[in-house]
PDB file of all heavy atoms in Angstrom:
ATOM      1  N   PHE A 565     -24.783  -0.776   7.674  1.00 95.00           N
ATOM      2  CA  PHE A 565     -25.535  -1.577   6.680  1.00 95.00           C
ATOM      3  C   PHE A 565     -25.003  -3.014   6.664  1.00 95.00           C
ATOM      4  O   PHE A 565     -25.779  -3.961   6.591  1.00 95.00           O
ATOM      5  CB  PHE A 565     -25.330  -0.952   5.296  1.00 95.00           C
ATOM      6  CG  PHE A 565     -25.873  -1.782   4.180  1.00 95.00           C
ATOM      7  CD1 PHE A 565     -27.226  -1.880   3.929  1.00 95.00           C
ATOM      8  CD2 PHE A 565     -25.000  -2.491   3.364  1.00 95.00           C
ATOM      9  CE1 PHE A 565     -27.715  -2.631   2.872  1.00 95.00           C
ATOM     10  CE2 PHE A 565     -25.478  -3.282   2.300  1.00 95.00           C
ATOM     11  CZ  PHE A 565     -26.826  -3.352   2.072  1.00 95.00           C
ATOM     12  N   GLN A 566     -23.681  -3.174   6.801  1.00 96.00           N
ATOM     13  CA  GLN A 566     -23.117  -4.522   6.790  1.00 96.00           C
ATOM     14  C   GLN A 566     -21.791  -4.477   7.550  1.00 96.00           C
ATOM     15  O   GLN A 566     -20.978  -3.552   7.382  1.00 96.00           O
ATOM     16  CB  GLN A 566     -22.874  -4.999   5.373  1.00 96.00           C
ATOM     17  CG  GLN A 566     -22.296  -6.431   5.326  1.00 96.00           C
ATOM     18  CD  GLN A 566     -21.951  -6.881   3.885  1.00 96.00           C
ATOM     19  OE1 GLN A 566     -22.293  -6.171   2.936  1.00 96.00           O
ATOM     20  NE2 GLN A 566     -21.315  -8.010   3.743  1.00 96.00           N
ATOM     21  N   GLN A 567     -21.552  -5.465   8.378  1.00 95.00           N
ATOM     22  CA  GLN A 567     -20.294  -5.614   9.094  1.00 95.00           C
ATOM     23  C   GLN A 567     -19.551  -6.789   8.496  1.00 95.00           C
ATOM     24  O   GLN A 567     -20.125  -7.878   8.321  1.00 95.00           O
ATOM     25  CB  GLN A 567     -20.559  -5.849  10.594  1.00 95.00           C
ATOM     26  CG  GLN A 567     -19.299  -5.601  11.474  1.00 95.00           C
ATOM     27  CD  GLN A 567     -19.686  -5.440  12.923  1.00 95.00           C
ATOM     28  OE1 GLN A 567     -20.726  -5.948  13.349  1.00 95.00           O
ATOM     29  NE2 GLN A 567     -18.865  -4.754  13.686  1.00 95.00           N
ATOM     30  N   ILE A 568     -18.317  -6.574   8.101  1.00 95.00           N
ATOM     31  CA  ILE A 568     -17.515  -7.625   7.494  1.00 95.00           C
ATOM     32  C   ILE A 568     -16.964  -8.519   8.616  1.00 95.00           C
ATOM     33  O   ILE A 568     -16.187  -8.060   9.472  1.00 95.00           O
ATOM     34  CB  ILE A 568     -16.354  -7.031   6.656  1.00 95.00           C
ATOM     35  CG1 ILE A 568     -16.884  -5.921   5.722  1.00 95.00           C
ATOM     36  CG2 ILE A 568     -15.660  -8.145   5.910  1.00 95.00           C
ATOM     37  CD1 ILE A 568     -17.911  -6.377   4.755  1.00 95.00           C
ATOM     38  N   GLN A 569     -17.339  -9.771   8.558  1.00 96.00           N
ATOM     39  CA  GLN A 569     -16.932 -10.718   9.608  1.00 96.00           C
ATOM     40  C   GLN A 569     -15.568 -11.366   9.229  1.00 96.00           C
ATOM     41  O   GLN A 569     -15.268 -11.548   8.060  1.00 96.00           O
ATOM     42  CB  GLN A 569     -17.982 -11.834   9.762  1.00 96.00           C
ATOM     43  CG  GLN A 569     -19.343 -11.324  10.187  1.00 96.00           C
ATOM     44  CD  GLN A 569     -19.301 -10.607  11.531  1.00 96.00           C
ATOM     45  OE1 GLN A 569     -18.579 -11.004  12.462  1.00 96.00           O
ATOM     46  NE2 GLN A 569     -20.121  -9.562  11.670  1.00 96.00           N
ATOM     47  N   PRO A 570     -14.779 -11.715  10.221  1.00 96.00           N
ATOM     48  CA  PRO A 570     -13.529 -12.427   9.965  1.00 96.00           C
ATOM     49  C   PRO A 570     -13.800 -13.730   9.233  1.00 96.00           C
ATOM     50  O   PRO A 570     -14.800 -14.386   9.475  1.00 96.00           O
ATOM     51  CB  PRO A 570     -12.948 -12.693  11.390  1.00 96.00           C
ATOM     52  CG  PRO A 570     -13.595 -11.689  12.237  1.00 96.00           C
ATOM     53  CD  PRO A 570     -14.964 -11.442  11.686  1.00 96.00           C
ATOM     54  N   LYS A 571     -12.894 -14.043   8.336  1.00 97.00           N
ATOM     55  CA  LYS A 571     -13.067 -15.273   7.530  1.00 97.00           C
ATOM     56  C   LYS A 571     -11.821 -16.173   7.663  1.00 97.00           C
ATOM     57  O   LYS A 571     -10.715 -15.742   7.326  1.00 97.00           O
ATOM     58  CB  LYS A 571     -13.303 -14.901   6.063  1.00 97.00           C
ATOM     59  CG  LYS A 571     -13.571 -16.143   5.193  1.00 97.00           C
ATOM     60  CD  LYS A 571     -13.874 -15.725   3.765  1.00 97.00           C
ATOM     61  CE  LYS A 571     -14.167 -16.932   2.892  1.00 97.00           C
ATOM     62  NZ  LYS A 571     -14.477 -16.536   1.490  1.00 97.00           N
ATOM     63  N   VAL A 572     -12.034 -17.373   8.191  1.00 97.00           N
ATOM     64  CA  VAL A 572     -10.936 -18.342   8.339  1.00 97.00           C
ATOM     65  C   VAL A 572     -10.803 -19.102   7.033  1.00 97.00           C
ATOM     66  O   VAL A 572     -11.760 -19.754   6.564  1.00 97.00           O
ATOM     67  CB  VAL A 572     -11.186 -19.314   9.496  1.00 97.00           C
ATOM     68  CG1 VAL A 572     -10.075 -20.340   9.584  1.00 97.00           C
ATOM     69  CG2 VAL A 572     -11.290 -18.534  10.835  1.00 97.00           C
ATOM     70  N   LEU A 573      -9.659 -19.012   6.397  1.00 97.00           N
ATOM     71  CA  LEU A 573      -9.440 -19.692   5.088  1.00 97.00           C
ATOM     72  C   LEU A 573      -9.055 -21.170   5.293  1.00 97.00           C
ATOM     73  O   LEU A 573      -9.407 -21.984   4.472  1.00 97.00           O
ATOM     74  CB  LEU A 573      -8.369 -18.954   4.291  1.00 97.00           C
ATOM     75  CG  LEU A 573      -8.703 -17.483   3.980  1.00 97.00           C
ATOM     76  CD1 LEU A 573      -7.545 -16.853   3.239  1.00 97.00           C
ATOM     77  CD2 LEU A 573      -9.991 -17.392   3.163  1.00 97.00           C
ATOM     78  N   ASN A 574      -8.313 -21.402   6.312  1.00 97.00           N
ATOM     79  CA  ASN A 574      -7.972 -22.826   6.623  1.00 97.00           C
ATOM     80  C   ASN A 574      -7.373 -22.878   8.015  1.00 97.00           C
ATOM     81  O   ASN A 574      -7.011 -21.868   8.613  1.00 97.00           O
ATOM     82  CB  ASN A 574      -6.995 -23.425   5.623  1.00 97.00           C
ATOM     83  CG  ASN A 574      -5.637 -22.726   5.560  1.00 97.00           C
ATOM     84  OD1 ASN A 574      -5.431 -21.863   4.736  1.00 97.00           O
ATOM     85  ND2 ASN A 574      -4.735 -23.103   6.467  1.00 97.00           N
ATOM     86  N   ASP A 575      -7.312 -24.082   8.561  1.00 97.00           N
ATOM     87  CA  ASP A 575      -6.709 -24.343   9.879  1.00 97.00           C
ATOM     88  C   ASP A 575      -5.554 -25.286   9.724  1.00 97.00           C
ATOM     89  O   ASP A 575      -5.646 -26.226   8.912  1.00 97.00           O
ATOM     90  CB  ASP A 575      -7.756 -24.912  10.828  1.00 97.00           C
ATOM     91  CG  ASP A 575      -7.346 -24.820  12.277  1.00 97.00           C
ATOM     92  OD1 ASP A 575      -6.220 -25.243  12.609  1.00 97.00           O
ATOM     93  OD2 ASP A 575      -8.145 -24.325  13.108  1.00 97.00           O
ATOM     94  N   LEU A 576      -4.451 -25.090  10.431  1.00 96.00           N
ATOM     95  CA  LEU A 576      -3.311 -25.951  10.302  1.00 96.00           C
ATOM     96  C   LEU A 576      -3.628 -27.390  10.764  1.00 96.00           C
ATOM     97  O   LEU A 576      -3.037 -28.364  10.282  1.00 96.00           O
ATOM     98  CB  LEU A 576      -2.117 -25.424  11.127  1.00 96.00           C
ATOM     99  CG  LEU A 576      -1.559 -24.071  10.677  1.00 96.00           C
ATOM    100  CD1 LEU A 576      -0.361 -23.697  11.572  1.00 96.00           C
ATOM    101  CD2 LEU A 576      -1.090 -24.106   9.213  1.00 96.00           C
TER     102      LEU A 576
END
Side-chain angles (χ1 to χ4, degrees):
F565 171 76
Q566 181 184 353
Q567 196 164 25
I568 311 301
Q569 299 298 324
K571 184 176 181 180
V572 178
L573 300 178
N574 63 263
D575 196 308
L576 296 181

